[in-house]
Structure formats: structure tokens, C-alpha cells
Amino acid sequence: MNTPLDKSEFEALADFRYQLRRFLRFSELLTRRHGITNLQYLLLLQVKGYPGREWACIGELAERLQAHQHGVVSLVSRCEKLGLVERRPGREDRRAVEVHLTAEGERLAESIALHHREEVKLLGGVFRDLASQLR
């Protein structure tokens, strides 16, 4: 049953969105200072952080980035030109394309992720507290 939200729930949701936007703005400025776009960093992060391995296929990255495959192909191409990723034929299916980080991509992902880790620690309980404030 959908019960109406009370004022405190609106406040909690508003604060959540504010904190989320602050984090995203922090990330946008940070990646720009490192010479890449936020979307390029997200690609590096998803490749490096793909569960169970150090690479990902285009379709998997499209899902993780919530983007269309053709958009991810373009993003991978831009990152490839910057020397951050490389494409390799699929190990099991040669038609598939694996995306791997280069040494420079690894270095950049690590550097930016270290800053993100500290910012997430500062946010700490904001995301945990939201669940307890909602009915």
C-alpha cells in the first residue's frame, strides 16, 4: 500500500538528492582536473571494478553505465585514443570485444578513485540514514 510521504520523508529525500548531487559535482570537477570527462572516468572505473575480472565487454559496460551499446563503443574509442583502454578479441567468442585498461588507464583510475574513496567516507551515513528515515 502506498502511504503518503510526510514532511520528514520529503526532507530526507531532498537531503539525499542534495548529497548525491554534491558527490557528483565533486566527481565532475575532480575528473576535469585529471584531464578526462566524468563519463571517461566511469568507464575506467567499471572496467577496473568489473566483478571477478580486470576487463569487461561492451555489452556489460553498457549495462553498468546504463547507456546504449553504440554510445559505449564511442566512449571506448575516445578512451582508446587517449591511451587509457585497449580492445582485445574475446577469449571465448572472437566476435566479442574485451575492454582492458592500459597502464595509464590503471594509473588514472587509481588516482581518481583514491579521492572518491575519501569523499565517500565523508558522506558516510548519509546513504545509510536515508533508509531509516523512510517508512
Side-chain angles (χ1 to χ4, degrees):
M1 182 168 144
N2 287 336
T3 58
L5 281 73
D6 64 26
K7 175 69 172 150
S8 67
E9 290 176 299
F10 276 103
E11 290 172 3
L13 288 169
D15 188 56
F16 169 73
R17 291 300 300 229
Y18 167 65
Q19 297 298 338
L20 184 58
R21 183 63 196 123
R22 279 188 55 217
F23 177 78
L24 293 174
R25 179 76 175 143
F26 165 83
S27 183
E28 291 161 3
L29 294 173
L30 177 64
T31 55
R32 193 174 305 142
R33 281 197 310 268
H34 280 81
I36 63 173
T37 68
N38 202 45
L39 198 50
Q40 289 167 334
Y41 168 67
L42 291 176
L43 177 76
L44 301 180
L45 179 64
Q46 290 304 326
V47 171
K48 181 66 177 171
Y50 197 81
R53 58 181 195 253
E54 295 285 323
W55 56 271
C57 291
I58 297 290
E60 295 166 335
L61 291 168
E63 170 59 27
R64 302 284 290 200
L65 296 170
Q66 290 294 286
H68 295 287
Q69 283 195 11
H70 64 275
V72 173
V73 168
S74 296
L75 179 60
V76 167
S77 294
R78 289 191 301 276
C79 287
E80 198 170 34
K81 285 179 184 170
L82 293 172
L84 303 174
V85 300
E86 64 182 16
R87 298 172 204 216
R88 296 181 193 162
R91 294 164 196 213
E92 295 177 17
D93 181 352
R94 304 294 284 176
R95 295 170 298 176
V97 175
E98 296 177 4
V99 179
H100 294 258
L101 296 184
T102 62
E104 177 62 15
E106 290 269 355
R107 185 199 63 75
L108 197 54
E110 175 79 16
S111 177
I112 296 172
L114 284 170
H115 293 290
H116 278 99
R117 180 175 65 185
E118 294 308 310
E119 188 69 11
V120 168
K121 285 180 183 177
L122 291 175
L123 287 173
V126 169
F127 299 107
R128 277 190 310 273
D129 292 347
L130 175 66
S132 67
Q133 294 174 13
L134 300 174
R135 299 188 260 163

